């Protein structure tokens, strides 16, 4: 973090609005641009928060972003049926290239995960799966970033057969492991994950956003082989 951004954050957190304004007014345009870029870089690459990546994914797909942890991530009005609302669940994933460099330098033992059209549902339960399946107008938005750079956004109905089947299988395996437990109340599947193989054959799969073929090639090392081949065929 550069010193200017550190000062801005410090004044924002401990000072007054007028103190922050006075500090910023005294800075050059280039300094302010540098502070904003550094702040965005930190925020969009934050490992502990996907809020800004979620916002980008939802809004570029044409939905209104819904803040908060409860409920779905966005909604929009159906253009053909008056009063009908379409909901979306966004699953953005970001890859940090520095982690690949650490692996090459021997500073980490395992190779980092590449973008594979994947995502996961945390703290998932059979009840939650049934609720999601009952939502007839629920779409999944799957997106991938590299160092905060948006690579793709894919959209598909939640109830796509292969997609739902994968989640059902994850739930069944989890329930089998719990078999014989004295109580399953309050227990949940920590992570129900998926990747491109669970929706690539969906007839209603839509490419919302995708880098052109030349730009996409720059990020090939950070995308799994099969998924990259799929994206390359779709890219212009």
């Amino acid at each position: 973090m550069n010193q200017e951004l550190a000062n801005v954050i410090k004044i924002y957190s401990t000072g007054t609005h007028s103190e922050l304004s006075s500090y910023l007014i005294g800075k050059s345009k280039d300094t302010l641009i540098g502070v904003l870029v550094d702040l965005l870089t930190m925020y969009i690459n934050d490992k502990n928060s996907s809020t800004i990546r979620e916002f980008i994914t939802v809004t570029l797909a044409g939905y209104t972003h819904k803040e908060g942890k409860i409920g779905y991530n966005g909604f929009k009005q159906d253009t053909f049926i008056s009063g009908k609302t379409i909901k979306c669940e966004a699953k953005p994933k970001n890859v940090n290239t520095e982690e690949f460099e650490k692996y090459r330098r021997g500073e980490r033992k395992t190779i980092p995960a590449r973008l594979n059209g994947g995502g996961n549902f945390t703290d998932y339960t059979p009840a939650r799966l049934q609720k999601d399946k009952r939502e007839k107008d629920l779409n999944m938005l799957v997106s991938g970033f590299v160092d905060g750079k948006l690579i793709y956004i894919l959209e598909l109905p939640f109830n796509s057969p292969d997609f739902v089947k994968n989640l059902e299988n994850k739930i069944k395996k989890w329930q089998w492991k719990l078999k014989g437990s004295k109580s399953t109340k309050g227990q949940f599947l920590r992570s129900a994950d998926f990747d491109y193989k669970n929706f690539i054959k969906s007839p209603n799969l839509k490419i919302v956003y995708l880098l052109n073929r030349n730009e996409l090639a720059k990020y090939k090392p950070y995308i799994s082989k099969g998924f990259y081949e799929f994206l390359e065929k779709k890219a212009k």
Side-chain angles (χ1 to χ4, degrees):
M1 182 188 300
N2 71 41
Q3 191 56 48
E4 286 295 349
L5 177 55
N7 290 337
V8 168
I9 293 173
K10 201 176 297 180
I11 296 170
Y12 179 87
S13 300
T14 63
T16 64
H17 179 75
S18 59
E19 288 174 332
L20 180 60
S21 296
S22 297
Y23 183 82
L24 292 174
I25 288 173
K27 300 301 174 183
S28 69
K29 182 173 72 173
D30 287 343
T31 297
L32 293 175
I33 290 173
V35 168
L36 178 59
V37 170
D38 282 355
L39 182 60
L40 285 172
T41 300
M42 285 178 56
Y43 193 14
I44 202 167
N45 285 293
D46 190 344
K47 294 180 180 179
N48 299 311
S49 173
S50 62
T51 301
I52 193 168
R53 297 189 294 272
E54 179 185 290
F55 173 81
I56 293 167
T57 300
V58 169
T59 54
L60 285 183
Y63 294 81
T64 298
H65 184 240
K66 182 177 179 293
E67 297 181 7
K69 296 290 185 181
I70 300 175
Y72 299 114
N73 302 132
F75 64 91
K76 65 180 178 181
Q77 299 303 314
D78 192 299
T79 55
F80 300 105
I81 303 176
S82 178
K84 182 181 178 181
T85 301
I86 301 173
K87 306 177 184 69
C88 71
E89 180 79 9
K91 297 297 178 184
K93 186 176 181 181
N94 186 53
V95 164
N96 189 327
T97 58
E98 177 58 24
E99 294 303 314
F100 285 83
E101 293 303 318
K102 288 180 180 178
Y103 176 73
R104 293 189 185 100
R105 295 194 298 261
E107 296 173 13
R108 61 172 289 168
K109 295 180 179 180
T110 58
I111 189 168
R114 293 179 169 87
L115 293 176
N116 63 354
N120 69 84
F121 294 82
T122 57
D123 302 347
Y124 215 50
T125 64
R128 171 64 192 277
L129 175 58
Q130 292 306 315
K131 177 182 181 297
D132 290 342
K133 287 168 63 176
R134 286 194 297 269
E135 290 285 353
K136 301 302 181 184
D137 299 303
L138 172 62
N139 289 330
M140 293 297 305
L141 296 175
V142 182
S143 60
F145 298 74
V146 176
D147 291 338
K149 170 73 173 180
L150 179 62
I151 310 300
Y152 60 84
I153 302 175
L154 309 178
E155 183 176 18
L156 65 142
F158 178 89
N159 278 307
S160 298
D162 290 344
F163 187 80
V164 168
K165 187 65 176 177
N166 169 66
L167 295 178
E168 289 174 340
N169 288 339
K170 292 284 168 59
I171 289 289
K172 286 178 182 178
K173 287 181 181 179
W174 168 73
Q175 289 177 317
W176 183 84
K177 288 181 180 179
L178 283 181
K179 193 175 182 180
S181 175
K182 292 182 178 179
S183 174
T184 59
K185 186 177 181 181
Q187 297 190 54
F188 44 76
L189 177 59
R190 178 60 62 185
S191 178
D193 62 329
F194 63 87
D195 62 31
Y196 78 100
K197 296 174 185 176
N198 302 127
F199 59 74
I200 193 173
K201 294 180 181 179
S202 172
N204 296 309
L205 179 62
K206 177 183 176 184
I207 307 295
V208 175
Y209 179 92
L210 178 60
L211 293 180
N212 65 52
R213 192 171 283 110
N214 290 335
E215 281 292 306
L216 183 65
K218 298 176 183 178
Y219 299 95
K220 186 176 181 179
Y222 311 109
I223 305 174
S224 66
K225 186 177 183 294
F227 186 49
Y228 180 82
E229 292 172 351
F230 165 76
L231 292 178
E232 188 179 37
K233 290 177 182 177
K234 299 292 184 180
K236 296 179 180 179

